[in-house]
Amino acid sequence: MYDGRILACLLVLFGVRYSVCSLPCDFIDSVNITDGERLPNGDIRHNGVIYNATYYRTIDYDYADFATKRNVPSYIRGCLCAVRVCVRLCCGENEYLARRCLPAEPNMPIMVNVSAMEAINLRNHSLYGFLYGKPCEQVYELLPEESSADEWIVARNGSIIIAEDLLITRNQYCIAPRLNSTYASGLVCFTSTEEFKYNLYPIGMLLSVPFLLLTFLVYACIPDLQNMHGKSLMCYVLGLSVGYTVLSMVQLRVFPGASASCVISGYIVYFSFMVSFFWLNVMSFDIYWTFKGVTGVRSSETKKFLLYSLYAWGCPILLVATAILADFTEWLPIYLRPQFGTTRCLFVDNKLIEFLYMYMPLLILVFMNVVFFLITALRIYKIQCETSVVRRGDSKRHTKLDNDRDRFGLYLRLFIVMGVTWSLEIISWLVDNNAWIFYVSDVCNCIQGFLIFALFVLKQKIKRLIYKKFGIREIKQEQKMSSSSTRTTATMVSSYHESKSDNPLVTQSSA
C-alpha cells in the first residue's frame, strides 16, 4: 500500500495527478495546519482539533479567493470539516469585521442563535471548528433587528437557516463578530442571478461613457457653447462619466473587497452621482428662473454660475462628508451608518441606509425638478396665448423667447430621460431588485450616454459650430437645410413685428 502511495507521489512530480496525494476533501473545507503540534502517532493537533493521517496532506498549491489556483511552497493542510462541524468566519483567526477585518482580542466571543430560544458562544463548544475567509466576492448582511425575514440560526450541520425556511450551506455564507455588538453578523453570498446582472450592468455603462465624454469635449472645445447652459451640461455629464466609470470598475471587481481603494471608489461613485443629480436640478431651476421673469434681479453669468457651482458641488461634498463622519465616528448608531467598504465598496445593502443616503435626496431633487418644469410649461403656455392675440411686438424679445423655449424643450427631454430612468430605479428598489423592472431601468441607464449625446450634440447648430471650429466646409445639402431653416425662422419672427411693444413677452433675469 505504501509503495502505491510513493509511486503516486512520484507521478505527481512528473505532472500526473493522483488522488492519494491530493486533499481527501474540497480545498474550501480545509485549513492550514502547518504550525500544528505533531503527535508521536503521526497525528497533528491544531487549535484543539486532532487530525489523523487520513485527514491531512502536504500540498504545494493554494487558491486566491478560492478561485484561482497558484503554486506555493509545500505546507500541510487538514480537512477540518471531516472532524468537526464547520462554521465559516468572514475574517481571519482573532479578527472582527468593521469596515474591514481588524485584529481582535484573543478568543473574542462569537455569539449566535442555534434556536429561537437559545444562543451560544461558538468558541466554547468543541463540536464546532472554524473556516476562515469569505467564500465569495459579493455578500450582503442579514439584519434580523430590522426585518424578521432576516432572522437566522446556526444549524447542527454548520449551515444557517434564514427565517425558519431557507437553508444556506457553509460555503454560501460567513459569520463576522462585531466589536460593539453582542451577536455576530451573518453575511450571505449573492445568488447566481445577482452575479449575472452585476456582470452585465457595468459593460453597458462603460459603453455609455464615450458618448458622455464626447458631449463634454464638444462643449469644452467650442467657446460659443460655453454659456450658462453649456457649462451646466458639462458639469452634469462629467459627474455621470466619472460615476459610471468607477461604478463599472467596482462591479467588475477591479478593487479588492474591504481594501482602501474599494472604500475610496465607493465614496467617488456616491459623490459623482450626487453631482449629476444636483446639476440636473440646477438646469431645471435655471430655465424656471429665466421664464419666471423676476424684475429687479440681475446678475452676471459668471456670478450666477459661481452660485450654481457652490450649490451643485457643495451639497454633494456635504453629503459625502456626512457619510465619512458617520462611518469614522460614533455619533450615529451602527444601523444608521452607510458603512462604505464593509460588505461592498458602496454603502451596505440595506433599505434604510439606501433611502437615507441615496434615494431620499434623489426623490427631493426629482420632485423639485417636476415643480420647476410644470411652472415653466405653464408660463410658456401663457406667453404663447398672449402672442396669439397681439399684433405688434419686439422681434428681439420674440427671438429670445424662441431661444429660451428651445432650451426649455432640450431640458425637458433631458429631464424625461433622466426622470424616467431614476423613477424606474426607485421603483425597482422599492419592489425587488430581481423584478423585471430592474432590467428595464438598467437598459435605460446603459443608453443614457447616447441619448444625451443625441439631444445635445447631434443637432444642425452644433454641427455648424464644429465645422467652423475646425475649418471644415459644410456639405451643400446641409448648407441648403441651414439656409431654409434661416428663412423659415426669419418668416416666423417677422410675423411678430406688429405686436404691441408695451407688452413684453419675458423679462430678462440676468445680464
Side-chain angles (χ1 to χ4, degrees), residues 485-505:
S485 176
T486 303
R487 288 195 300 271
T488 302
T489 302
T491 303
M492 292 175 61
V493 172
S494 65
S495 65
Y496 292 96
H497 281 182
E498 297 180 357
S499 300
K500 293 182 179 180
S501 60
D502 58 348
N503 188 11
L505 299 176

Side-chain angles (χ1 to χ4, degrees), residues 265-282:
S265 67
Y267 286 123
I268 291 175
V269 170
Y270 182 51
F271 174 76
S272 300
F273 281 121
M274 286 296 110
V275 164
S276 67
F277 297 154
F278 277 94
W279 274 108
L280 183 60
N281 183 241
V282 162

Side-chain angles (χ1 to χ4, degrees), residues 8 11-12 14-23 59-61 69 71:
L11 290 174
V12 171
F14 291 96
V16 181
R17 176 68 62 188
Y18 188 68
S19 62
V20 173
C21 284
S22 300
L23 281 170
I59 61 175
D60 60 356
Y61 60 90
K69 190 174 182 179
N71 293 324

Side-chain angles (χ1 to χ4, degrees), residues 83-104:
V83 294
R84 288 287 188 275
V85 175
C86 284
V87 174
R88 180 168 293 281
L89 302 182
C90 303
C91 297
E93 187 176 358
N94 293 324
E95 290 184 337
Y96 71 93
L97 182 63
R99 295 174 56 78
R100 59 183 182 277
C101 294
L102 297 174

